[in-house]
Amino acid sequence: MKSGLFAVMRKELARFFGDKRMVASILLPGILIYFVYSFMGQAMGSMFGVDEDFAPAAQVVELPDSLAEPLQSAGLTLTEVEADQEEAAREAITGQELDLLLVFPADFDQAVADYAPASGQPAPQVAVYYNSSSTQSQFAYTAVTELLDTYEAQLANKFDVNAGAERYDLTTEEDAAGAYFAMLLPMLLMIFLYSGCAAVAPESIAGEKERGTIATMLITPIPRGHIAVGKILALAVIALLSGASSTIGTILALPKLMGAASDNLSADIYSVGDYLLLAAVILSTVLLLVTLISILSAFAKTVKEAQTYATPLMILVMLLGVTGMFGGGASQDLPAYLIPLYNSVQCMVGVFSFTTFTAGVAATLAVNGVCTILGVVVLARMFNSEKIIFAR
């Protein structure tokens, strides 16, 4: 009895370990989870941190001698400006061209020395202007206010920082909303688009192989290349509808999801041109995803096997979507837009954060289009291969 039991166990274990695909299905999830979580951790760190060699650019009005060295020691690149240049500096901060503006009262050191907290008079005021939608500006603001708070504590509260009702955060509502959308929507969009493609492509090709109906289609007088193109275009339409439904629902629900921040969130901040640009990028992305999943499905014998083959692509799409969470807007380097799918994420980030790189968008549409055409050629050749199409 025991020998029979062990014989069954040996048979099943031999069958499992003799099938590379089954072994991979066990090992692959752990490997992918490690890379996904590691990558997401780096992305989250990037949202709230800056490069080690980052030196915030700050302009200062009436820089006091007592704080010149501490501020420079904190890593700031200081530029002294006159009071009549304050407005221009504030506009530069709003446009994320400058990180900070520090405004000290005239004769700050003497005013602090003469101030008596018990007098009831307002303390000397230091104003620090920044842009919370910029990671670099927010980082610099935190560093400077901590330095000023430490210095103030040493002087027994002889001056105030950003006191009163004046607005010191110079970010616009559009920038704040764009930052939220750019952080979340590219990743969600890529997941939705992939899900729509993965829901229909395996069934259309691997499903017909599994049912044996693909043979009937291939014996028709229609060229097999036309069959490949027809399937991809039809699948793209279905996937677009699925992706569009999920995307619209997400955009409408995002303000409620963000809770108190919803006052600054509205899809109305984007123009018709922005949406048309986004639609072009989405279309090129869907065509490429459908083509890739169709190729993987053509290799598979069953729908389940096709879904297994597509798992690494799903993880890749998720990883690329996470890159949209890295702060700073879209990349302004053209080579970044020569990488299929990654370029789509960068374009989406650019649209949502108002940092669109026009040359990059053009490169994205061209690269995704060329890759799709090459994929169609590969799929047509696979349809011409009896060994691949009729593998059982």
Side-chain angles (χ1 to χ4, degrees):
M1 183 176 178
K2 288 185 179 180
S3 60
L5 175 64
F6 286 120
V8 172
M9 289 180 60
R10 283 196 300 270
K11 177 179 178 298
E12 289 301 313
L13 290 173
R15 182 180 65 84
F16 175 81
F17 287 106
D19 190 334
K20 295 180 180 179
R21 291 172 297 180
M22 297 184 71
V23 174
S25 68
I26 296 296
L27 300 179
L28 191 60
I31 297 173
L32 293 177
I33 287 172
Y34 169 78
F35 283 108
V36 169
Y37 284 6
S38 298
F39 197 74
M40 289 183 67
Q42 292 177 4
M44 294 298 292
S46 146
M47 290 170 57
F48 304 104
V50 295
D51 295 336
E52 292 183 1
D53 58 351
F54 171 65
Q59 293 186 0
V60 188
V61 176
E62 301 287 351
L63 176 64
D65 294 336
S66 60
L67 285 169
E69 184 176 346
L71 288 172
Q72 289 176 343
S73 298
L76 272 71
T77 302
L78 300 177
T79 303
E80 295 189 55
V81 296
E82 300 298 328
D84 58 3
Q85 296 177 279
E86 280 188 39
E87 186 61 32
R90 294 184 193 184
E91 292 178 359
I93 292 175
T94 300
Q96 300 188 20
E97 299 170 356
L98 179 68
D99 295 318
L100 286 181
L101 170 64
L102 289 82
V103 180
F104 292 89
D107 299 322
F108 173 77
D109 289 335
Q110 187 62 47
V112 168
D114 295 341
Y115 177 70
S119 67
Q121 297 298 316
Q125 161 81 350
V126 179
V128 183
Y129 299 94
Y130 67 105
N131 187 331
S132 62
S133 64
S134 166
T135 302
Q136 291 82 359
S137 182
Q138 181 70 55
F139 176 85
Y141 171 75
T142 301
V144 167
T145 52
E146 287 179 355
L147 185 151
L148 292 175
D149 288 343
T150 301
Y151 183 67
E152 178 189 16
Q154 294 174 354
L155 298 178
N157 194 26
K158 284 201 168 190
F159 68 90
D160 293 324
V161 179
N162 286 4
E166 185 177 352
R167 184 167 172 263
Y168 301 99
D169 183 359
L170 302 180
T171 185
T172 63
E173 291 187 359
E174 289 79 8
D175 285 340
Y180 281 120
F181 281 121
M183 180 177 66
L184 294 176
L185 285 184
M187 179 180 65
L188 295 177
L189 264 173
M190 292 298 290
I191 293 174
F192 292 151
L193 294 178
Y194 174 84
S195 298
C197 296
V200 294
E203 178 63 30
S204 177
I205 297 177
E208 290 202 13
K209 290 178 64 176
E210 186 175 3
R211 294 187 297 271
T213 56
I214 197 168
T216 304
M217 180 180 297
L218 295 179
I219 63 175
T220 62
I222 303 174
R224 295 188 178 184
H226 292 183
I227 294 176
V229 173
K231 277 186 172 291
I232 287 175
L233 292 179
L235 294 173
V237 171
I238 299 172
L240 274 175
L241 291 175
S242 173
S245 173
S246 300
T247 301
I248 292 172
T250 301
I251 291 176
L252 294 178
L254 191 59
K256 292 180 173 52
L257 178 66
M258 299 308 298
S262 62
D263 292 340
N264 293 330
L265 290 175
S266 172
D268 294 338
I269 62 178
Y270 301 109
S271 66
V272 174
D274 291 328
Y275 284 113
L276 291 176
L277 195 63
L278 182 63
V281 172
I282 288 176
L283 176 59
S284 72
T285 305
V286 167
L287 287 171
L288 180 55
L289 284 173
V290 164
T291 302
L292 293 175
I293 298 176
S294 296
I295 291 173
L296 294 173
S297 299
F299 276 112
K301 301 180 182 69
T302 64
V303 173
K304 186 175 181 180
E305 187 176 331
Q307 292 170 343
T308 301
Y309 287 163
T311 299
L313 179 60
M314 176 190 69
I315 300 299
L316 175 63
V317 169
M318 291 177 60
L319 285 173
L320 294 176
V322 170
T323 62
M325 300 175 68
F326 285 79
S331 173
Q332 301 299 304
D333 297 326
L334 187 59
Y337 295 87
L338 303 180
I339 306 172
L341 298 181
Y342 176 74
N343 51 15
S344 299
V345 175
Q346 289 302 306
C347 288
M348 293 174 188
V349 171
V351 170
F352 291 127
S353 64
F354 307 104
T355 57
T356 301
F357 182 39
T358 305
V361 174
T364 294
L365 298 179
V367 169
N368 288 354
V370 169
C371 290
T372 299
I373 292 172
L374 292 175
V376 170
V377 172
V378 170
L379 187 61
R381 289 180 178 274
M382 293 177 71
F383 278 179
N384 285 321
S385 172
E386 307 292 332
K387 181 178 180 181
I388 293 177
I389 294 300
F390 296 110
R392 301 294 296 211

